Amino acid sequence: MKILLLLGLVAVALCETTRFVGDKVIRLTPANDEQVTIIKELGQKVKVDFWKPDSPDLVTIGMGVDIHVPAAQLDMVFTILQQSSMEAKVMFENLQEAVEDQMDNKRVTKAHDYTKYNSWATINDWAISITSANSNLISRQVIGNTYEGRPMHLLTIGKKTGSAKPAVFMDCGFHAREWITHAFCQWFVNEAVSTYGSDPEMTNLLDRMDFLVLPVFNIDGYEYTWSKDRMWRKTRSKNSGTTCIGTDPNRNFDAGWCTTGASSNPCSETYCGSSPESEVESKNLANFIRTNKSIIKAYLTVHSYSQLLLFPYSYKYGLAADHSELLSVSQGAIAALRTLYGTKYTSGPGATTIYPAAGGSDDWAYDLGVKYSYTFELRDEGRYGFLLPESQIKPTCEETMLAVKYIASYVLNNLY
């Protein structure tokens, strides 16, 4: 009987959703090397979750550092911070409230809604239904399954001409907790097909090129953020020799793999994996792009948060061969984005604009020969961070559409 009771308690614990009652998110601004060292030691000695940057190793003087501190660690962390005289600002007083407040679109609607965050089951059904409802403009294929066996739907959007067209590849949801990114890929697909024939720019784009859209890359991780832990980031694969789960998929590509800004520790949030493309999701994406390299002229990967438009390189400080053109296009794209709501983005090479990070999909695609390779970091700059309210889905997606269309139109007029 005792064994059965114990097993029951274990089962309940495994099913229980992680709650964040009393947890805080704090923004630290280190003013000197000593304070940088203190933050790095915090990351090693105390169980805190780095929101920005992804890892304590990436912290530098003057950088805004956002860390999620569990309630149980608050006294220790605040004591350390007071002793260091470091500037600290509380961004979230109670993280659990912010998790609940994120779902601020209270409208009761049909299963799928472009202005709400949708579960994987809902997105899966949507991918199938929007394809069948727009068979003249969308086709769907599965480029492989995830570690846990979920299908990775790829939607091809464009007028069917019977011959190969140049294409823009776009993915969302590399990191599970970045929910606004998944919302954007869905919004983009709908906007593309619903404005075809009425918006001259979109009509021209879809007539002359295709968009290859992977609405959710890290499906297993995304599902886990709904069922268990809203703050989960990595994939859900098992790692040998440890109970720590998952790999950072954006450190898992063969672009300076695991050399800088990535960790070889499976328990780290920036774990690079056991080898390049060790994650089946990374392998599926890379295989598809390698196979279709002749038509893919741009690669866009959508992340959050920070309001940035980045391009290679992140794994090294050296400038890309096409640096001046990539910079010019990025500046045009963020200028277009800003026209709608005045949202300010910064653009530049990843390593110098934020921090060095090896193994990213954008650097990998660029080195493969996809010249126009960009990473979006969507809203915001930290007020809500990964918990951007549903009320901001529409404006975020509307402005981001302008940047994506700008890049796509440029690519179409500058094919190589």
Side-chain angles (χ1 to χ4, degrees):
M1 185 69 188
K2 284 182 179 177
I3 292 172
L4 285 174
L5 184 62
L6 184 62
L7 287 172
L9 288 171
V10 169
V12 168
L14 288 172
C15 294
E16 206 169 273
T17 303
T18 303
R19 290 178 61 78
F20 308 97
V21 177
D23 293 13
K24 297 188 189 302
V25 175
I26 303 167
R27 173 164 291 181
L28 307 174
T29 309
N32 51 50
D33 288 329
E34 184 186 346
Q35 292 181 348
V36 168
T37 301
I38 287 165
I39 295 175
K40 289 182 177 180
E41 287 176 351
L42 261 183
Q44 291 160 0
K45 295 175 182 174
V46 185
K47 189 171 171 49
V48 295
D49 173 20
F50 277 74
W51 280 22
K52 194 178 82 169
D54 305 331
S55 159
D57 300 331
L58 301 170
V59 173
T60 55
I61 294 171
M63 173 187 283
V65 179
D66 296 349
I67 58 169
H68 160 207
V69 184
Q73 312 292 339
L74 282 169
D75 286 348
M76 186 194 309
V77 169
F78 277 121
T79 298
I80 293 167
L81 293 178
Q82 282 166 358
Q83 289 170 351
S84 72
S85 305
M86 197 183 320
E87 184 184 332
K89 177 185 178 186
V90 176
M91 306 297 281
F92 288 113
E93 286 286 356
N94 183 344
L95 189 59
Q96 184 59 35
E97 284 182 9
V99 169
E100 292 162 10
D101 290 347
Q102 183 182 25
M103 306 296 209
D104 65 349
N105 180 346
K106 303 302 183 190
R107 193 175 72 220
V108 178
T109 59
K110 58 186 183 300
H112 184 274
D113 189 324
Y114 293 103
T115 59
K116 293 172 87 78
Y117 292 120
N118 298 295
S119 68
W120 165 245
T122 302
I123 296 171
N124 183 63
D125 292 345
W126 163 84
I128 295 165
S129 63
I130 196 168
T131 302
S132 58
N134 298 276
S135 56
N136 59 322
L137 286 174
I138 306 181
S139 58
R140 179 180 61 86
Q141 62 182 297
V142 174
I143 63 168
N145 291 332
T146 65
Y147 179 81
E148 293 179 347
R150 297 179 176 90
M152 295 176 71
H153 296 291
L154 183 89
L155 304 181
T156 300
I157 303 109
K159 184 182 178 183
K160 295 174 181 176
T161 62
S163 57
K165 294 193 290 180
V168 172
F169 188 103
M170 180 167 69
D171 59 55
C172 294
F174 252 66
H175 294 132
R177 61 190 178 186
E178 298 169 7
W179 282 14
I180 186 59
T181 72
H182 312 76
F184 176 69
C185 266
Q186 294 162 68
W187 183 282
F188 177 87
V189 173
N190 182 60
E191 190 73 9
V193 296
S194 61
T195 62
Y196 180 78
S198 59
D199 171 19
E201 185 179 17
M202 184 59 81
T203 304
N204 180 52
L205 289 171
L206 297 186
D207 281 346
R208 297 172 57 198
M209 74 192 313
D210 288 332
F211 288 91
L212 309 169
V213 180
L214 187 66
V216 186
F217 171 87
N218 179 10
I219 303 167
D220 298 345
Y222 185 58
E223 174 67 22
Y224 195 73
T225 62
W226 280 76
S227 64
K228 179 70 177 170
D229 181 355
R230 175 65 185 84
M231 290 302 136
W232 188 259
R233 166 185 166 87
K234 299 192 287 183
T235 61
R236 292 294 302 162
S237 58
K238 289 179 180 171
N239 296 308
S240 62
T242 177
T243 56
C244 293
I245 296 291
T247 287
D248 181 344
N250 208 37
R251 302 293 193 279
N252 193 229
F253 286 79
D254 194 6
W257 179 76
C258 222
T259 52
T260 182
S263 174
S264 56
N265 176 3
C267 300
S268 167
E269 292 293 344
T270 56
Y271 177 50
C272 60
S274 57
S275 62
E277 298 175 28
S278 61
E279 301 308 283
V280 66
E281 296 87 354
S282 308
K283 178 74 76 180
N284 291 341
L285 182 146
N287 282 342
F288 181 87
I289 293 179
R290 276 190 287 260
T291 302
N292 296 279
K293 185 183 134 183
S294 62
I295 62 162
I296 296 173
K297 303 301 178 185
Y299 173 75
L300 308 178
T301 183
V302 185
H303 293 248
S304 75
Y305 59 99
S306 282
Q307 293 171 204
L308 301 167
L309 183 53
L310 307 172
F311 52 86
Y313 283 107
S314 288
Y315 74 82
K316 61 183 180 181
Y317 284 105
L319 298 181
D322 304 290
H323 173 82
S324 58
E325 186 181 9
L326 291 171
L327 178 62
S328 172
V329 174
S330 72
Q331 288 171 336
I334 64 174
L337 183 152
R338 190 175 175 182
T339 59
L340 197 57
Y341 296 107
T343 309
K344 293 180 183 177
Y345 269 58
T346 301
S347 69
T352 52
T353 306
I354 44 170
Y355 44 73
S361 61
D362 54 349
D363 283 358
W364 171 81
Y366 181 78
D367 281 348
L368 187 71
V370 182
K371 178 162 66 160
Y372 302 105
S373 184
Y374 290 99
T375 294
F376 280 87
E377 293 281 357
L378 301 184
R379 290 190 191 185
D380 55 9
E381 293 183 297
R383 167 63 185 87
Y384 295 104
F386 300 122
L387 299 175
L388 199 70
E390 287 178 325
S391 53
Q392 290 200 36
I393 293 175
K394 183 174 182 283
T396 301
C397 291
E398 286 174 338
E399 67 190 11
T400 309
M401 282 295 302
L402 298 179
V404 171
K405 284 161 71 174
Y406 180 94
I407 293 170
S409 294
Y410 181 91
V411 171
L412 188 56
N413 292 322
N414 294 272
L415 295 173
Y416 55 94

